[in-house]
């Protein structure tokens, strides 16, 4: 089967840096994605990693280590609007579908 | 391009009834996935349709079914509703994006409340 683990909650202050970790167990791993979901909203695609290393998109970066079955989402210069839930997801080529983690609720405080 | 649309946005049904939810994917996307989201269970995969064929199915009872039409619009149906079916039902249309990855674009969801 497939499973993903990520912390349920993270709190940080405005302007700080926060890292949200995700470990996964899956066969047929193809890539790790991250999604952001604001309260009452739909998940929106943030980033994707298929290869080891860091991918940077503005204030957000995502890292993957396939040998460790581990990835993280790094958010820099936190803003209040970054308060949301963040989901990691793996795409499994054997199953032909994505499996999502349970999500990490990020609270940014002033 | 217009985003993924879902109708209705909110629905209140009584236990035992049946419900049909609709999803229109992004133009040109042929894959549509459905997820159930509840506070305790996160995003649970229901099924995926591609070119009118169900390609994958999650671990949900047979009361949950779906279909896809030739224009890629999809519907999901839940029969004999139970209280535990109360959830946000999300539809996502998918593509292999410029990142090389499997990108899913979600609709706003249908909030179903079963009383």
């Amino acid at each position: 089967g497939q499973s993903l683990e990520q912390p349920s909650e993270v709190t940080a202050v405005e302007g700080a840096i926060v890292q949200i970790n995700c470990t996964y167990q899956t066969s047929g791993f193809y890539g790790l994605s991250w999604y952001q979901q604001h309260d009452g909203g739909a998940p929106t695609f943030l980033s994707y990693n298929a290869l080891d290393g860091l991918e940077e998109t503005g204030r957000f970066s995502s890292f993957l280590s396939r040998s460790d079955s581990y990835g993280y989402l790094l958010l820099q210069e936190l803003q209040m609007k970054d308060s949301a839930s963040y989901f990691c997801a793996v795409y499994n080529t054997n199953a032909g579908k994505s499996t999502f983690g349970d999500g990490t609720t990020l609270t940014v405080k002033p | 391009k217009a985003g993924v649309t879902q109708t209705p946005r909110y629905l209140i049904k009584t236990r035992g009834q049946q419900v049909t939810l609709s999803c229109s994917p992004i133009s040109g996307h042929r894959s549509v996935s459905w997820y159930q989201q509840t506070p305790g269970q996160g995003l649970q995969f229901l099924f995926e349709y591609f070119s009118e064929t169900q390609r994958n199915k999650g671990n949900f009872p047979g009361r949950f079914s779906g279909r896809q039409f030739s224009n890629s619009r999809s519907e999901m149906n839940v029969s004999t509703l139970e209280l535990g079916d109360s959830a946000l039902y999300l539809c996502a249309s998918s593509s292999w994006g410029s990142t090389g990855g499997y990108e899913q674009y979600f609709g706003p969801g249908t909030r179903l409340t079963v009383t």
Side-chain angles (χ1 to χ4, degrees), chain A residues 30 35 37 42-43 48 91 95-96, chain B residues 37 48 56 96 101-102 104 106-107:
Chain A
Y30 191 83
Y35 291 81
Q37 185 179 28
Y48 172 82
Y91 185 76
Chain B
Q37 186 175 32
E48 184 210 8
N56 285 295
W96 292 94
Y102 187 71
Q104 293 189 291
F106 286 85

Side-chain angles (χ1 to χ4, degrees), chain B:
Chain B
K1 280 185 180 179
V4 179
T5 58
Q6 290 186 249
T7 56
R9 292 292 310 278
Y10 302 92
L11 206 49
I12 299 175
K13 289 286 189 177
T14 305
R15 204 168 38 174
Q17 288 185 312
Q18 68 98 27
V19 66
T20 300
L21 312 181
S22 181
C23 169
S24 292
I26 291 171
S27 177
H29 286 191
R30 291 155 62 191
S31 169
V32 173
S33 300
W34 288 89
Y35 294 87
Q36 181 194 65
Q37 186 175 32
T38 56
Q41 297 294 319
L43 277 155
Q44 301 296 313
F45 174 77
L46 280 155
F47 26 64
E48 184 210 8
Y49 286 88
F50 181 86
S51 294
E52 302 179 65
T53 301
Q54 188 182 84
R55 222 164 40 168
N56 285 295
K57 192 176 190 305
N59 296 323
F60 279 82
R63 300 186 296 108
F64 291 81
S65 63
R67 59 178 177 168
Q68 187 180 32
F69 302 95
S70 58
N71 62 357
S72 293
R73 189 177 69 85
S74 177
E75 288 182 348
M76 68 162 280
N77 185 77
V78 189
S79 62
T80 321
L81 283 166
E82 299 177 359
L83 295 178
D85 297 333
S86 294
L88 180 67
Y89 289 88
L90 291 161
C91 162
S93 89
S94 313
S95 72
W96 292 94
S98 57
T99 57
Y102 187 71
E103 299 177 11
Q104 293 189 291
Y105 300 90
F106 286 85
T110 295
R111 173 78 59 188
L112 172 64
T113 302
V114 182
T115 62

Side-chain angles (χ1 to χ4, degrees), chain A residues 6-13 17-21 75 78 83-84 86 103-109:
Chain A
Q6 52 181 130
S8 57
E9 294 180 353
V10 172
T11 302
V13 296
I17 298 173
V18 73
Q19 179 174 312
I20 299 174
N21 299 320
L75 297 87
L78 281 172
S83 291
Y86 293 85
T104 298
T105 301
L106 170 64
T107 303
V108 180
K109 296 187 173 180

